[in-house]
Amino acid sequence: VQLQASGGGFVQPGWFLGLSCAASGNIFSINAMGWYRQAPGKQRELVASITSGGSTYYANSVKGRFTISRDNAKNTVSLLMNSLKPEDTADYYCNADIRTKGSSRPYKYWGQGTQVTVSS
């Protein structure tokens, strides 16, 4: 199983940016999918998550600015980030609870980090 993240980059404060992550491999089912971020010198934190049924969670720091969505048919999860602030600068990681074919339970998988820099 592989999670491939894309998107990210350098933007000015107030701008928007989108991240996308696609899961591939021997997948039977995917439960929750989400995005974490880790800023320099800080712990990794959960930014947003979404269940297979579409229920969402957002960290207070991004509520109202970020929107998470997923396409269950394509095994993808996306994060639209609006009104970006310098404090949103971090490496962003996608994450998914995936049950592979032949497995009795899901395991957590991580994508590679993608950098987001917000600066004037």
Short mmCIF file of all heavy atoms in Angstrom, two decimals, residues 11-12 17 21 25 27 34 37 60 62 66 70-73 90 94 103 109 119:
data_model
loop_
_atom_site.label_atom_id
_atom_site.label_comp_id
_atom_site.label_asym_id
_atom_site.label_seq_id
_atom_site.Cartn_x
_atom_site.Cartn_y
_atom_site.Cartn_z
N VAL A 11 3.23 30.19 -0.89
CA VAL A 11 2.19 31.17 -1.17
C VAL A 11 2.29 32.32 -0.18
O VAL A 11 2.91 32.20 0.88
CB VAL A 11 0.77 30.56 -1.08
CG1 VAL A 11 0.57 29.51 -2.16
CG2 VAL A 11 0.51 29.99 0.30
N GLN A 12 1.64 33.42 -0.55
CA GLN A 12 1.59 34.58 0.34
C GLN A 12 0.44 34.45 1.33
O GLN A 12 -0.53 33.72 1.07
CB GLN A 12 1.43 35.86 -0.48
CG GLN A 12 2.62 36.16 -1.37
CD GLN A 12 2.46 37.46 -2.14
OE1 GLN A 12 1.37 38.01 -2.22
NE2 GLN A 12 3.54 37.96 -2.69
N LEU A 17 -4.33 27.13 -1.20
CA LEU A 17 -3.50 26.04 -1.73
C LEU A 17 -4.25 24.73 -1.53
O LEU A 17 -5.03 24.60 -0.58
CB LEU A 17 -2.18 26.01 -0.98
CG LEU A 17 -0.95 25.40 -1.64
CD1 LEU A 17 -0.62 26.11 -2.95
CD2 LEU A 17 0.25 25.47 -0.69
N CYS A 21 -3.99 13.44 -1.98
CA CYS A 21 -3.29 12.22 -1.61
C CYS A 21 -4.07 11.03 -2.16
O CYS A 21 -5.28 10.94 -1.96
CB CYS A 21 -3.16 12.14 -0.10
SG CYS A 21 -2.33 10.67 0.51
N GLY A 25 -2.63 0.19 -4.13
CA GLY A 25 -2.09 -1.08 -3.68
C GLY A 25 -3.18 -2.08 -3.39
O GLY A 25 -4.28 -2.00 -3.90
N ILE A 27 -5.68 -2.83 -1.56
CA ILE A 27 -6.62 -2.22 -0.62
C ILE A 27 -7.96 -2.94 -0.64
O ILE A 27 -8.56 -3.12 -1.68
CB ILE A 27 -6.81 -0.73 -0.96
CG1 ILE A 27 -5.50 0.02 -0.81
CG2 ILE A 27 -7.90 -0.12 -0.06
CD1 ILE A 27 -5.53 1.44 -1.33
N GLY A 34 -6.86 11.40 6.61
CA GLY A 34 -6.64 12.71 7.20
C GLY A 34 -5.32 13.33 6.80
O GLY A 34 -4.54 12.74 6.04
N ARG A 37 0.24 17.81 10.14
CA ARG A 37 1.32 18.71 9.77
C ARG A 37 2.33 18.79 10.88
O ARG A 37 2.01 18.56 12.05
CB ARG A 37 0.79 20.11 9.42
CG ARG A 37 0.22 20.89 10.59
CD ARG A 37 -0.38 22.21 10.10
NE ARG A 37 -0.94 23.01 11.19
CZ ARG A 37 -1.63 24.12 10.99
NH1 ARG A 37 -1.85 24.58 9.77
NH2 ARG A 37 -2.10 24.79 12.04
N ASN A 60 -8.92 23.33 15.73
CA ASN A 60 -9.47 24.67 15.94
C ASN A 60 -8.72 25.72 15.12
O ASN A 60 -9.31 26.69 14.65
CB ASN A 60 -9.42 25.04 17.41
CG ASN A 60 -10.47 24.29 18.23
OD1 ASN A 60 -11.50 23.89 17.71
ND2 ASN A 60 -10.19 24.09 19.50
N VAL A 62 -7.60 25.65 12.21
CA VAL A 62 -7.89 25.70 10.76
C VAL A 62 -9.38 25.70 10.46
O VAL A 62 -9.78 25.82 9.30
CB VAL A 62 -7.23 24.51 10.02
CG1 VAL A 62 -5.74 24.45 10.32
CG2 VAL A 62 -7.91 23.19 10.37
N PHE A 66 -9.96 25.62 6.27
CA PHE A 66 -9.57 24.42 5.54
C PHE A 66 -10.80 23.54 5.32
O PHE A 66 -11.69 23.48 6.15
CB PHE A 66 -8.53 23.62 6.32
CG PHE A 66 -7.17 24.25 6.41
CD1 PHE A 66 -6.95 25.58 6.02
CD2 PHE A 66 -6.08 23.52 6.86
CE1 PHE A 66 -5.70 26.16 6.10
CE2 PHE A 66 -4.83 24.08 6.95
CZ PHE A 66 -4.64 25.40 6.57
N ARG A 70 -13.01 13.66 0.32
CA ARG A 70 -12.44 12.41 -0.17
C ARG A 70 -13.31 11.85 -1.28
O ARG A 70 -14.50 12.14 -1.36
CB ARG A 70 -12.28 11.39 0.95
CG ARG A 70 -13.58 10.92 1.58
CD ARG A 70 -13.33 10.04 2.81
NE ARG A 70 -12.93 8.68 2.45
CZ ARG A 70 -12.53 7.77 3.33
NH1 ARG A 70 -12.46 8.10 4.62
NH2 ARG A 70 -12.21 6.55 2.94
N ASP A 71 -12.68 11.05 -2.12
CA ASP A 71 -13.38 10.33 -3.18
C ASP A 71 -13.18 8.85 -2.89
O ASP A 71 -12.08 8.31 -3.12
CB ASP A 71 -12.81 10.73 -4.54
CG ASP A 71 -13.58 10.11 -5.69
OD1 ASP A 71 -14.12 8.99 -5.54
OD2 ASP A 71 -13.64 10.75 -6.75
N ASN A 72 -14.19 8.20 -2.38
CA ASN A 72 -14.05 6.80 -1.99
C ASN A 72 -13.80 5.88 -3.19
O ASN A 72 -13.13 4.87 -3.07
CB ASN A 72 -15.29 6.34 -1.23
CG ASN A 72 -15.41 6.99 0.13
OD1 ASN A 72 -14.41 7.34 0.76
ND2 ASN A 72 -16.64 7.19 0.59
N ALA A 73 -14.33 6.25 -4.33
CA ALA A 73 -14.13 5.43 -5.52
C ALA A 73 -12.68 5.47 -6.02
O ALA A 73 -12.18 4.50 -6.58
CB ALA A 73 -15.08 5.88 -6.62
N ALA A 90 4.39 24.40 7.30
CA ALA A 90 4.74 23.09 7.87
C ALA A 90 4.89 22.08 6.75
O ALA A 90 4.55 22.35 5.60
CB ALA A 90 3.66 22.63 8.84
N CYS A 94 -0.30 13.07 4.60
CA CYS A 94 -1.59 12.41 4.56
C CYS A 94 -1.49 11.07 5.29
O CYS A 94 -0.40 10.49 5.43
CB CYS A 94 -2.09 12.21 3.13
SG CYS A 94 -1.05 11.18 2.09
N SER A 103 -6.30 -9.11 5.25
CA SER A 103 -6.03 -8.66 6.62
C SER A 103 -7.34 -8.60 7.41
O SER A 103 -8.40 -8.33 6.86
CB SER A 103 -5.38 -7.29 6.61
OG SER A 103 -5.21 -6.81 7.93
N TYR A 109 -1.40 4.03 7.57
CA TYR A 109 -0.36 4.27 6.56
C TYR A 109 -0.14 5.78 6.41
O TYR A 109 -1.08 6.57 6.58
CB TYR A 109 -0.77 3.68 5.21
CG TYR A 109 -0.78 2.17 5.19
CD1 TYR A 109 -1.90 1.46 5.61
CD2 TYR A 109 0.34 1.45 4.76
CE1 TYR A 109 -1.91 0.07 5.61
CE2 TYR A 109 0.33 0.07 4.75
CZ TYR A 109 -0.79 -0.61 5.17
OH TYR A 109 -0.79 -1.99 5.16
N SER A 119 4.38 32.87 3.35
CA SER A 119 5.25 33.98 3.71
C SER A 119 5.08 35.12 2.72
O SER A 119 4.80 34.90 1.54
CB SER A 119 6.72 33.53 3.73
OG SER A 119 7.57 34.62 3.99
#
